[in-house]
Amino acid sequence: MSLIFDRLRTRGARSTRRPAAVPGGACPYSHAHVHGHLVPEEPPGRPAPAALDDRFADHFTDPRQAADFVRQFHLEQPGTGDPAERIRAVLDEIDRTGTYEHTPAELAYGAKLAWRNAARCIGRLYWRSLVVRDLRHLGSADDIAAECFAHLRTATNGGRIRPVVSVFAPDRPGRPAARILNQQLVRYAGHPGPDGGWTGDPAGAQLTARARDLGWKCAEEPFEVLPLLVQERPGERPEWYELPEDTTLEVRLLHPDHAWFAELGLRWYAVPAISDMTLEIGGVRYPTAPFNGWYMGTEIGARNLADADRYDLLATVAGRLGLDTSSERTLWRDRALVELNVAVLHSFQEAGVTMADHHTESERFLRHIAQERRLGRPTPADWSWIVPPVSGGLTPVYHRYYDPVDPSARPAFVAREPW
């Protein structure tokens, strides 16, 4: 039997769009002299047109951030020449419109730099390989949903996962762009039970409730893929879309040494595509820019399936292993956690789906740091995120310090502002 579980999920032969009912209850730079080049102190004041939404008039682009990015782009891209002319054109466009438009090359490189600057990501060695899909001309819910499904197909790549970002229309002064409400393009629903327990993933509970209010019908199963919710404008009801059957590759979890593990009925999806962060490049904000790499095994085995506020499976696994759970000193949690992670790594490997283990990825991260150092660049890193949640002290990333994190570093993927 194939270890790919429901490679073609039965979710309908096409994307489904439903009319929705309204649910119930529902860093700028501080310097004016950047890298030896003067930048205007402030853009001329340009009031937002009366027809625009005053709540979002602050989506004007900071010219200093724009100039700084253009300068970095030209510095790191051989053959692009002197940035002075492009900076003048960008500043003039900001003066006239409040913002500016990136060239396709600037957008692609800016997205890659945002990954390189991600202080919490251990997989940055591969930042140059990011596939950037330029979809800035699209802003409707239907178009966004269709291209998100195309994103998943491209990223899945038959199991050989590719890092991909899909960049949709940016925020403009007074005109915020559409948002995806899901945390990830693929996520499991969560349903609270009357006894305080859960069916499915508690992390998906809020979106599950929102989708049900909008008319989504669910079966309340442990691994039920949520629909995609897209909201075009503030205050408007979101549209929801079932994920087509060919977009969600899932792996059934088995253990190489324990046949009973299959009886737990566990599985997980192959592509972790974050969809609730803003991509910020040179002062321009793209609030709809889903992006993915591939999983490191501990993300599933030590967090998603093990955390007490997620699937909370350690006691279940310990019971099937026959471990003594009467005392914490027996280390039953630790032993169950290791076996859960063994199952995750084994299952993805047998299924031919890309996944990293925490030992190998730690070594690769140190290679990335060395490469960046040779190029004269620092590698800011958040130690608490870089060190894996299993056997941290056994990995080389544990035993060192890192360059401090600069929250104002751009380009970057940043927490998305609320409507």
Side-chain angles (χ1 to χ4, degrees), residues 229-242:
L229 273 62
V230 183
Q231 189 172 17
E232 289 188 9
R233 296 177 184 83
E236 287 192 356
R237 66 188 186 188
E239 303 292 348
W240 65 271
Y241 306 82
E242 292 273 13

Side-chain angles (χ1 to χ4, degrees), residues 35 40 53 78 103 109 115 151 175 188 204 208 266 341 343-344 351 384 388 411:
H35 298 319
D53 191 329
T103 67
Y109 199 67
W115 186 7
H151 176 124
R175 293 191 178 93
Y188 294 126
T208 301
L266 307 180
N341 279 271
V344 169
S384 65

Side-chain angles (χ1 to χ4, degrees), residues 72-117:
Q72 182 179 12
F73 172 78
H74 283 259
L75 178 66
E76 295 191 15
Q77 294 290 283
T80 53
D82 189 331
E85 183 177 350
R86 174 59 177 156
I87 290 175
R88 283 194 293 270
V90 165
L91 295 180
D92 179 67
E93 189 175 352
I94 294 173
D95 183 36
R96 289 183 290 101
T97 69
T99 188
Y100 70 106
E101 183 175 330
H102 290 123
T103 67
E106 289 170 349
L107 179 75
Y109 199 67
K112 294 177 181 182
L113 291 179
W115 186 7
R116 193 177 83 191
N117 288 336

Side-chain angles (χ1 to χ4, degrees), residues 340-353:
L340 191 52
N341 279 271
V342 167
V344 169
L345 288 170
H346 166 78
S347 300
F348 271 68
Q349 180 172 322
E350 290 298 305
V353 176

Side-chain angles (χ1 to χ4, degrees), residues 162-402:
R162 288 185 286 210
V164 178
V165 61
S166 295
V167 185
F168 294 94
D171 285 335
R172 300 185 66 83
R175 293 191 178 93
R179 266 81 165 152
I180 296 169
L181 303 188
N182 308 58
Q183 290 181 318
Q184 297 185 25
L185 296 184
V186 182
R187 200 75 184 260
Y188 294 126
H191 309 278
D195 59 351
W198 287 85
T199 298
D201 190 350
Q206 184 175 6
L207 194 70
T208 301
R210 186 78 178 273
R212 295 182 76 163
D213 285 341
L214 294 170
W216 179 56
K217 305 300 182 183
C218 52
E220 300 196 12
E221 299 171 347
F223 297 95
E224 185 174 21
V225 176
L226 283 162
L228 187 71
L229 273 62
V230 183
Q231 189 172 17
E232 289 188 9
R233 296 177 184 83
E236 287 192 356
R237 66 188 186 188
E239 303 292 348
W240 65 271
Y241 306 82
E242 292 273 13
L243 272 67
E245 58 184 15
D246 63 341
T247 63
T248 308
L249 173 61
E250 296 180 277
V251 177
R252 185 185 180 193
L253 302 185
L254 305 176
H255 195 286
D257 302 320
H258 302 294
W260 55 260
F261 199 94
E263 299 171 9
L264 300 179
L266 307 180
R267 62 176 182 258
W268 206 262
Y269 51 89
V271 178
I274 306 298
S275 52
D276 66 345
M277 299 187 75
T278 292
L279 170 61
E280 188 171 318
I281 303 173
V284 179
R285 284 172 283 189
Y286 300 94
T288 306
F291 63 95
N292 71 275
W294 51 76
Y295 270 118
M296 188 162 73
T298 54
E299 296 177 76
I300 301 171
R303 301 303 309 275
N304 299 341
L305 295 177
D307 281 356
D309 60 351
R310 298 294 298 282
Y311 277 85
D312 194 19
L313 288 170
L314 291 185
T316 299
V317 173
R320 297 301 294 264
L321 288 168
L323 302 179
D324 178 2
T325 61
S326 64
S327 169
E328 296 294 347
R329 295 178 68 87
T330 67
L331 301 184
W332 64 268
R333 297 182 195 277
D334 309 71
R335 296 166 67 185
L337 187 67
V338 168
E339 296 305 325
L340 191 52
N341 279 271
V342 167
V344 169
L345 288 170
H346 166 78
S347 300
F348 271 68
Q349 180 172 322
E350 290 298 305
V353 176
T354 305
M355 170 173 280
D357 68 86
H358 51 290
H359 296 286
T360 302
E361 208 59 54
S362 295
E363 296 282 358
R364 289 172 177 168
F365 185 62
L366 296 189
R367 283 172 49 199
H368 169 67
I369 292 176
Q371 288 181 8
E372 291 296 293
R373 183 184 298 116
R374 286 194 293 271
L375 293 169
R377 296 194 292 249
T379 306
D382 186 331
W383 187 94
S384 65
W385 281 71
I386 296 300
V387 174
V390 175
S391 305
L394 299 180
T395 63
V397 294
Y398 178 92
H399 302 279
R400 57 166 295 152
Y401 295 103
Y402 298 95

